[in-house]
Amino acid sequence: MNSTRESWASKLGFMLAAMGSAVGLGNIWRFSYVAGENGGGAFLILYLVSILIIGVPLLLAEVSIGRKAQSDVVGSYQKLAQGKPWFMAGFLGVLGSLLILGFYSVVAGWSMYYFWNYLNGHFFTVPEEGYGAAFEVFTTSIGQPLFWHALFMVVTIAIVLTGVKKGIELANKIFMPTLAVLLIVLAGFSLSLEGAMEGMRFLFRPDWSVLSNPSVYIAALGQAFFSLSLGVGVMMTYGSYLSAHHKLPGATIGIGLMDTFFAIISGIVIFPAVFAFNIEPDSGPVLVFITLTDIFGQMPFGGYVGILFFLSLSLAAVSSSVSLLEVPVAYLMRAASWSRKKSAVIIGFVIFLLGIGASLGMGALSGFTPIGERNIMDSMDYVASNILLPIGGLVMALFIGWYFSKKEALHAADLTDSAVGTVWYLIVKFLAPVLILVIFMNALGVL
């Protein structure tokens, strides 16, 4: 069966696709407001350390499992640990990808809506009711958000059903360089604003006093973990399309570096502009859709900046959504023997239905709070990000560190006879599980 399994055309194609998965709304949207809420520069340093000590080692672990098994997230565990219950974690990954894309596609639809309204000039001037009220009217309505959610899912499905080489790899070969250029242009413009250097100082001059707050460490660990798409099976699935002659350590380090680059360059786009217009950097999730649009409305050529920014956000969202859709699609192609086209269309439709609930939860169903006082979207995010992903990452680390022998683990990761390999193995076996448990318990409110 593996003889006809799809594969990447090149190692670069895999790296760009993996970067596309990692570089999404989490880098441009989430990183900026999490950094803003946690003191800027000191958080950035902790984030970089976290990428090094937990992000890249776990990324290498996940990719190595997929490449060794040459199967989807469920099949990989079934193949490598026959008759053992490890594969249950694979089902959590499939469920996690469905939940995440269910609400992610709604937010991505918002980004496409904003891009379109900047492109047609509608948002070049401040709406009569203001950007904040316009955002609330749009997100709480029924028809418009669902239209953009549907359009976003159509784009995602179209890329995935085309295949690994001609769909996912080709799209990311176009999207990622384009995204890099767009963000660099935006960063240059942001730095040209009067008062921009205050934003740079916030991002790069650490306020060490924030390190007395334990939550900053946990936020940095969590951002590093989530920004690399760890624990949901994306990197395992993508790794399964690699052949044995593609060496993993260099590729995973490159992915970690580029993911970090995109996060930092996004901060350079956002924080100088935020400080130039005297906006608080800890504005939270509304930073992109309300705060920045207010800023664009006040700056010279702001409408054109809005076009470039929301095009960037939309490209990043598509590259991530494609990877999330590929997880259940790859599973059904193997487990149900469905074609790629059938799997992509059916799973895509299921995700669209999940997104309807997430979208209506912002307005018509806002009174329905499945978990605590969280609306439908926040509840989906909570279950996926705070429960399913950490469990998936923990099982993956335990699988490599405790089920595999050290020799098997090092061989799978292309680190045999390497001092670096021993360090990596010890991190995955001992340190990573402890840190994931800390993230997990903090998310559940235990810590």
Side-chain angles (χ1 to χ4, degrees):
M1 189 167 80
N2 281 348
S3 61
T4 58
R5 184 172 175 77
E6 294 177 273
S7 63
W8 303 110
S10 64
K11 181 178 175 180
L12 177 62
F14 158 70
M15 291 179 65
L16 289 173
M19 286 176 203
S21 173
V23 178
L25 296 177
N27 289 70
I28 300 176
W29 178 37
R30 191 177 189 274
F31 174 83
S32 297
Y33 79 74
V34 172
E37 291 171 341
N38 289 280
F43 171 85
L44 177 61
I45 291 174
L46 291 177
Y47 170 74
L48 295 175
V49 172
S50 299
I51 287 285
L52 181 64
I53 65 171
I54 187 173
V56 171
L58 283 175
L59 178 62
L60 178 55
E62 186 166 346
V63 172
S64 66
I65 292 172
R67 190 187 65 171
K68 183 176 176 65
Q70 294 286 291
S71 189
D72 59 274
V73 64
V74 177
S76 290
Y77 287 118
Q78 288 176 327
K79 185 175 180 179
L80 298 177
Q82 295 182 20
K84 303 292 193 304
W86 293 95
F87 70 92
M88 296 300 295
F91 285 115
L92 294 181
V94 172
L95 176 60
S97 66
L98 292 174
L99 281 178
I100 292 171
L101 191 48
F103 68 82
Y104 189 96
S105 56
V106 174
V107 178
W110 300 349
S111 179
M112 292 181 72
Y113 167 79
Y114 269 67
F115 170 62
W116 172 247
N117 276 278
Y118 273 103
L119 194 64
N120 64 24
H122 183 66
F123 277 179
F124 269 46
T125 55
V126 181
E128 187 176 338
E129 67 274 33
Y131 285 115
F135 175 74
E136 184 175 354
V137 169
F138 167 66
T139 56
T140 56
S141 64
I142 295 176
Q144 276 197 309
L146 291 181
F147 168 78
W148 291 99
H149 163 52
L151 180 61
F152 180 82
M153 282 309 304
V154 167
V155 173
T156 301
I157 292 167
I159 293 172
V160 171
L161 65 79
T162 308
V164 172
K165 290 179 183 176
K166 296 182 179 179
I168 300 172
E169 183 171 349
L170 179 60
N172 280 288
K173 282 183 174 178
I174 298 170
F175 289 171
M176 298 315 294
T178 303
L179 180 59
V181 170
L182 287 172
L183 289 176
I184 290 170
V185 170
L186 285 168
F189 184 85
S190 191
L191 289 172
S192 71
L193 297 171
E194 186 176 349
M197 287 304 104
E198 191 64 31
M200 293 294 284
R201 280 190 285 272
F202 174 79
L203 186 60
F204 292 109
R205 180 183 292 173
D207 174 10
W208 300 116
S209 66
V210 304
L211 298 184
S212 61
N213 185 355
S215 66
V216 176
Y217 296 86
I218 297 173
L221 279 171
Q223 179 65 23
F225 183 81
F226 298 127
S227 73
L228 286 172
S229 301
L230 298 170
V232 75
V234 167
M235 295 305 175
M236 199 177 297
T237 304
Y238 274 10
S240 72
Y241 300 129
L242 279 169
S243 61
H245 74 272
H246 290 130
K247 299 304 179 184
L248 299 184
T252 52
I253 290 172
I255 294 164
L257 289 173
M258 290 307 297
D259 176 72
T260 304
F261 162 78
F262 277 102
I264 292 174
I265 202 72
S266 299
I268 296 174
V269 170
I270 291 171
F271 287 118
V274 164
F275 277 86
F277 289 90
N278 297 313
I279 306 294
E280 291 299 320
D282 57 351
S283 300
V286 301
L287 182 65
V288 165
F289 292 104
I290 297 177
T291 307
L292 282 183
T293 49
D294 277 334
I295 292 173
F296 296 157
Q298 300 174 54
M299 65 170 55
F301 309 107
Y304 298 102
V305 174
I307 291 174
L308 295 180
F309 180 80
F310 285 103
L311 174 59
S312 302
L313 201 62
S314 299
L315 289 177
V318 171
S319 65
S320 290
S321 68
V322 162
S323 68
L324 289 166
L325 181 56
E326 181 65 15
V327 173
V329 165
Y331 166 68
L332 284 177
M333 287 172 64
R334 177 193 61 82
S337 299
W338 287 2
S339 68
R340 171 171 285 276
K341 183 176 181 179
K342 179 179 178 181
S343 301
V345 171
I346 291 178
I347 291 295
F349 183 69
V350 170
I351 291 168
F352 171 72
L353 294 179
L354 287 172
I356 291 177
S359 183
L360 295 182
M362 302 295 293
L365 297 178
S366 59
F368 179 49
T369 53
I371 299 178
E373 297 183 359
R374 297 177 179 87
N375 63 22
I376 297 173
M377 181 182 292
D378 288 343
S379 295
M380 292 167 68
D381 186 9
Y382 179 83
V383 171
S385 299
N386 298 328
I387 299 175
L388 299 181
L389 264 68
I391 291 176
L394 179 61
V395 171
M396 177 183 67
L398 294 175
F399 187 73
I400 283 282
W402 296 92
Y403 182 77
F404 275 9
S405 68
K406 180 179 179 181
K407 183 178 179 181
E408 287 177 313
L410 294 178
H411 182 264
D414 296 330
L415 288 171
T416 304
D417 300 324
S418 166
V420 173
T422 299
V423 174
W424 167 78
Y425 180 71
L426 291 174
I427 287 174
V428 173
K429 185 169 185 172
F430 296 109
L431 182 60
V434 172
L435 294 178
I436 294 172
L437 280 173
V438 169
I439 296 170
F440 186 40
M441 290 188 291
N442 178 70
L444 296 181
V446 178
L447 287 179

Coordinates of all heavy atoms in Angstrom, one line a residue, residues 305-361:
V305 N -2.1 49.6 3.1 CA -1.5 48.8 4.2 C -2.5 47.7 4.6 O -2.2 46.5 4.8 CB -1.1 49.6 5.4 CG1 -0.6 48.7 6.5 CG2 0.0 50.6 5.0
G306 N -3.8 48.1 4.7 CA -4.8 47.1 5.1 C -5.0 46.0 4.1 O -5.1 44.8 4.4
I307 N -4.9 46.4 2.8 CA -4.9 45.3 1.7 C -3.8 44.3 1.9 O -4.0 43.1 1.9 CB -4.8 46.0 0.3 CG1 -6.1 46.8 0.0 CG2 -4.6 44.9 -0.7 CD1 -6.0 47.6 -1.3
L308 N -2.6 44.8 2.1 CA -1.4 43.9 2.2 C -1.5 43.1 3.5 O -1.2 41.9 3.5 CB -0.1 44.7 2.2 CG 0.2 45.5 0.9 CD1 1.5 46.2 1.1 CD2 0.3 44.5 -0.2
F309 N -1.9 43.7 4.6 CA -2.0 43.0 5.9 C -3.0 41.9 5.9 O -2.7 40.8 6.3 CB -2.3 44.0 7.1 CG -2.4 43.3 8.4 CD1 -1.2 43.0 9.1 CD2 -3.6 42.9 8.9 CE1 -1.2 42.4 10.3 CE2 -3.6 42.3 10.2 CZ -2.4 42.0 10.8
F310 N -4.2 42.2 5.4 CA -5.2 41.1 5.5 C -5.0 40.1 4.4 O -5.5 39.0 4.5 CB -6.6 41.7 5.5 CG -7.0 42.3 6.8 CD1 -6.9 43.7 7.0 CD2 -7.3 41.5 7.9 CE1 -7.2 44.2 8.3 CE2 -7.6 42.0 9.1 CZ -7.6 43.4 9.3
L311 N -4.3 40.5 3.3 CA -3.9 39.4 2.3 C -2.9 38.5 3.0 O -3.0 37.3 2.9 CB -3.3 40.1 1.1 CG -2.6 39.1 0.1 CD1 -3.7 38.1 -0.5 CD2 -2.0 39.9 -1.1
S312 N -2.0 39.1 3.8 CA -1.0 38.2 4.5 C -1.7 37.3 5.5 O -1.4 36.1 5.6 CB 0.0 39.1 5.3 OG 0.7 40.0 4.4
L313 N -2.6 37.9 6.2 CA -3.4 37.1 7.2 C -4.1 36.0 6.6 O -4.2 34.8 7.1 CB -4.3 38.0 8.0 CG -4.8 37.5 9.4 CD1 -3.6 37.4 10.3 CD2 -5.8 38.5 10.0
S314 N -4.7 36.2 5.4 CA -5.5 35.2 4.7 C -4.6 34.1 4.1 O -5.0 32.9 4.2 CB -6.3 35.9 3.6 OG -7.3 36.8 4.1
L315 N -3.5 34.5 3.6 CA -2.6 33.5 3.1 C -2.1 32.6 4.2 O -2.0 31.4 4.0 CB -1.4 34.1 2.4 CG -1.6 34.8 1.0 CD1 -0.4 35.5 0.5 CD2 -2.1 33.9 0.0
A316 N -1.7 33.2 5.3 CA -1.3 32.4 6.5 C -2.3 31.5 7.0 O -2.1 30.3 7.3 CB -0.8 33.3 7.6
A317 N -3.6 31.9 7.0 CA -4.7 31.1 7.4 C -4.9 29.9 6.5 O -5.1 28.8 7.0 CB -6.0 32.0 7.5
V318 N -4.8 30.1 5.2 CA -5.0 29.0 4.2 C -4.0 28.0 4.4 O -4.2 26.8 4.4 CB -5.1 29.6 2.8 CG1 -5.1 28.4 1.8 CG2 -6.3 30.4 2.5
S319 N -2.7 28.4 4.5 CA -1.6 27.4 4.6 C -1.8 26.6 5.9 O -1.4 25.4 5.8 CB -0.3 28.2 4.6 OG -0.1 29.0 5.8
S320 N -2.3 27.1 6.9 CA -2.5 26.3 8.2 C -3.7 25.4 8.0 O -3.7 24.3 8.5 CB -2.7 27.2 9.4 OG -1.5 27.9 9.7
S321 N -4.8 26.0 7.4 CA -6.0 25.2 7.3 C -5.9 24.0 6.4 O -6.4 22.9 6.7 CB -7.2 26.1 6.8 OG -6.9 26.4 5.4
V322 N -5.0 24.1 5.4 CA -4.7 23.0 4.5 C -4.1 21.8 5.3 O -4.5 20.7 5.1 CB -3.8 23.4 3.4 CG1 -3.1 22.3 2.7 CG2 -4.6 24.3 2.4
S323 N -3.2 22.2 6.2 CA -2.5 21.1 7.0 C -3.5 20.5 8.0 O -3.5 19.3 8.2 CB -1.3 21.7 7.8 OG -1.8 22.6 8.8
L324 N -4.4 21.3 8.6 CA -5.4 20.7 9.5 C -6.4 19.8 8.8 O -6.7 18.7 9.3 CB -6.1 21.8 10.2 CG -5.4 22.6 11.2 CD1 -6.1 23.9 11.6 CD2 -5.1 21.8 12.5
L325 N -6.8 20.2 7.6 CA -7.7 19.3 6.8 C -7.0 18.0 6.4 O -7.7 17.0 6.3 CB -8.2 20.1 5.6 CG -9.2 19.3 4.7 CD1 -10.5 18.8 5.5 CD2 -9.7 20.2 3.5
E326 N -5.7 18.1 6.1 CA -5.0 16.9 5.6 C -5.0 15.8 6.7 O -4.9 14.6 6.3 CB -3.6 17.3 5.2 CG -2.7 16.1 4.7 CD -3.2 15.5 3.4 OE1 -4.1 16.2 2.7 OE2 -2.8 14.5 3.0
V327 N -5.1 16.1 8.0 CA -5.0 15.1 9.0 C -6.2 14.1 8.9 O -5.9 12.9 8.8 CB -4.9 15.8 10.4 CG1 -5.0 14.7 11.5 CG2 -3.6 16.5 10.6
P328 N -7.4 14.5 9.0 CA -8.5 13.6 8.8 C -8.6 13.0 7.4 O -9.1 11.9 7.3 CB -9.8 14.4 9.2 CG -9.4 15.8 9.0 CD -7.9 15.9 9.3
V329 N -8.3 13.8 6.4 CA -8.3 13.3 5.0 C -7.4 12.1 4.9 O -7.7 11.0 4.3 CB -8.0 14.4 4.0 CG1 -7.7 13.8 2.6 CG2 -9.1 15.4 3.9
A330 N -6.1 12.2 5.4 CA -5.2 11.1 5.3 C -5.7 9.9 6.0 O -5.5 8.7 5.6 CB -3.8 11.6 5.8
Y331 N -6.3 10.1 7.2 CA -6.8 9.0 8.0 C -7.9 8.3 7.2 O -7.9 7.0 7.1 CB -7.4 9.5 9.3 CG -8.2 8.5 10.0 CD1 -7.7 7.3 10.5 CD2 -9.6 8.7 10.1 CE1 -8.4 6.4 11.2 CE2 -10.4 7.7 10.8 CZ -9.8 6.6 11.3 OH -10.6 5.6 11.9
L332 N -8.9 9.0 6.6 CA -10.0 8.3 5.9 C -9.5 7.7 4.6 O -10.1 6.6 4.2 CB -11.1 9.3 5.6 CG -12.0 9.7 6.8 CD1 -13.0 10.8 6.4 CD2 -12.7 8.5 7.4
M333 N -8.5 8.2 4.0 CA -8.0 7.6 2.8 C -7.5 6.2 3.1 O -7.6 5.3 2.3 CB -6.9 8.5 2.1 CG -7.5 9.7 1.4 SD -6.1 10.9 0.9 CE -5.3 9.8 -0.3
R334 N -6.8 6.1 4.2 CA -6.3 4.7 4.6 C -7.4 3.9 5.2 O -7.6 2.7 4.8 CB -5.1 4.9 5.6 CG -4.6 3.6 6.1 CD -3.6 3.7 7.3 NE -4.3 4.3 8.4 CZ -5.1 3.6 9.3 NH1 -5.2 2.3 9.1 NH2 -5.6 4.2 10.3
A335 N -8.0 4.4 6.3 CA -9.0 3.6 7.1 C -10.2 3.2 6.3 O -10.7 2.1 6.5 CB -9.3 4.3 8.4
A336 N -10.8 4.1 5.5 CA -12.0 3.8 4.8 C -11.8 3.6 3.3 O -12.8 3.3 2.6 CB -13.0 5.0 5.0
S337 N -10.5 3.6 2.9 CA -10.2 3.4 1.4 C -11.0 4.4 0.5 O -11.3 4.1 -0.6 CB -10.5 2.0 1.0 OG -9.7 1.1 1.8
W338 N -11.2 5.6 1.0 CA -11.8 6.6 0.2 C -10.8 7.3 -0.7 O -9.6 7.3 -0.3 CB -12.5 7.7 1.1 CG -13.7 7.3 1.8 CD1 -14.3 6.0 1.8 CD2 -14.6 8.1 2.7 NE1 -15.5 6.0 2.5 CE2 -15.6 7.2 3.1 CE3 -14.5 9.4 3.1 CZ2 -16.6 7.7 4.0 CZ3 -15.5 9.8 4.0 CH2 -16.5 9.0 4.4
S339 N -11.3 7.9 -1.7 CA -10.4 8.7 -2.6 C -10.0 10.0 -1.9 O -10.7 10.4 -0.9 CB -11.0 9.0 -3.9 OG -12.1 9.9 -3.7
R340 N -9.0 10.6 -2.3 CA -8.6 11.9 -1.7 C -9.7 12.9 -1.9 O -10.1 13.7 -1.0 CB -7.3 12.4 -2.3 CG -6.9 13.8 -2.0 CD -5.5 14.2 -2.4 NE -4.5 13.6 -1.5 CZ -4.1 14.1 -0.3 NH1 -4.7 15.2 0.1 NH2 -3.2 13.5 0.4
K341 N -10.3 12.9 -3.1 CA -11.4 13.9 -3.4 C -12.6 13.7 -2.5 O -13.1 14.7 -1.9 CB -11.8 13.8 -4.9 CG -12.8 14.8 -5.3 CD -13.2 14.7 -6.8 CE -14.2 15.7 -7.2 NZ -14.5 15.6 -8.7
K342 N -13.0 12.5 -2.4 CA -14.2 12.2 -1.5 C -13.9 12.5 -0.1 O -14.7 13.2 0.6 CB -14.5 10.7 -1.6 CG -15.7 10.3 -0.8 CD -16.0 8.8 -1.0 CE -17.2 8.3 -0.1 NZ -17.5 6.9 -0.3
S343 N -12.7 12.2 0.4 CA -12.3 12.5 1.8 C -12.3 14.0 2.1 O -12.9 14.4 3.1 CB -11.0 11.9 2.1 OG -11.0 10.5 1.9
A344 N -11.7 14.7 1.1 CA -11.6 16.2 1.3 C -12.9 16.9 1.3 O -13.2 17.7 2.1 CB -10.7 16.8 0.3
V345 N -13.8 16.5 0.4 CA -15.1 17.1 0.3 C -16.0 16.8 1.5 O -16.6 17.7 2.1 CB -15.8 16.7 -1.0 CG1 -17.2 17.2 -1.1 CG2 -15.1 17.2 -2.2
I346 N -16.0 15.5 1.9 CA -16.9 15.2 3.0 C -16.4 15.7 4.3 O -17.2 16.3 5.1 CB -17.0 13.6 3.1 CG1 -17.8 13.1 1.9 CG2 -17.7 13.2 4.4 CD1 -18.0 11.6 1.8
I347 N -15.1 15.6 4.6 CA -14.6 16.2 5.8 C -14.7 17.7 5.8 O -15.0 18.3 6.8 CB -13.1 15.8 6.0 CG1 -13.0 14.3 6.4 CG2 -12.5 16.6 7.2 CD1 -13.7 13.9 7.7
G348 N -14.5 18.3 4.7 CA -14.6 19.8 4.5 C -16.0 20.2 4.8 O -16.2 21.2 5.5
F349 N -17.0 19.4 4.4 CA -18.4 19.8 4.7 C -18.7 19.6 6.2 O -19.4 20.5 6.7 CB -19.3 18.9 3.9 CG -20.8 19.2 4.0 CD1 -21.3 20.4 3.5 CD2 -21.6 18.4 4.7 CE1 -22.6 20.7 3.7 CE2 -23.0 18.7 4.9 CZ -23.5 19.9 4.4
V350 N -18.2 18.6 6.8 CA -18.4 18.4 8.2 C -17.8 19.6 9.0 O -18.4 20.1 9.9 CB -17.7 17.1 8.7 CG1 -17.7 17.0 10.3 CG2 -18.4 15.9 8.2
I351 N -16.6 20.1 8.6 CA -16.0 21.2 9.2 C -16.8 22.5 9.0 O -16.9 23.3 9.9 CB -14.5 21.4 8.7 CG1 -13.7 20.2 9.2 CG2 -13.9 22.7 9.1 CD1 -12.3 20.1 8.6
F352 N -17.4 22.6 7.8 CA -18.2 23.7 7.5 C -19.4 23.8 8.5 O -19.8 24.8 9.0 CB -18.7 23.7 6.1 CG -19.8 24.7 5.8 CD1 -19.5 26.1 5.7 CD2 -21.1 24.3 5.6 CE1 -20.5 27.0 5.5 CE2 -22.1 25.3 5.4 CZ -21.8 26.6 5.3
L353 N -20.0 22.6 8.8 CA -21.1 22.5 9.7 C -20.7 22.9 11.1 O -21.4 23.6 11.8 CB -21.7 21.1 9.7 CG -22.4 20.6 8.4 CD1 -22.9 19.2 8.5 CD2 -23.5 21.5 8.0
L354 N -19.5 22.4 11.5 CA -19.0 22.8 12.8 C -18.8 24.3 12.9 O -19.1 25.0 13.9 CB -17.6 22.1 13.1 CG -17.7 20.6 13.4 CD1 -16.2 20.1 13.4 CD2 -18.4 20.4 14.7
G355 N -18.3 24.9 11.8 CA -18.1 26.4 11.7 C -19.4 27.1 11.8 O -19.4 28.3 12.3
I356 N -20.5 26.6 11.4 CA -21.8 27.3 11.5 C -22.1 27.5 12.9 O -22.5 28.6 13.3 CB -22.9 26.4 10.8 CG1 -22.8 26.4 9.3 CG2 -24.3 27.0 11.2 CD1 -23.8 25.5 8.6
G357 N -21.9 26.5 13.8 CA -22.1 26.6 15.2 C -21.2 27.7 15.8 O -21.7 28.5 16.6
A358 N -19.9 27.6 15.4 CA -19.0 28.6 16.0 C -19.3 30.0 15.6 O -19.2 30.9 16.4 CB -17.6 28.2 15.4
S359 N -19.8 30.2 14.3 CA -20.1 31.5 13.8 C -21.4 32.0 14.5 O -21.4 33.2 15.0 CB -20.3 31.5 12.3 OG -20.6 32.8 11.8
L360 N -22.4 31.2 14.6 CA -23.7 31.6 15.2 C -23.5 31.9 16.7 O -24.3 32.7 17.3 CB -24.8 30.6 15.0 CG -25.2 30.4 13.5 CD1 -26.3 29.3 13.4 CD2 -25.7 31.7 12.9
G361 N -22.5 31.2 17.3 CA -22.2 31.5 18.7 C -21.8 32.9 19.0 O -21.8 33.3 20.2

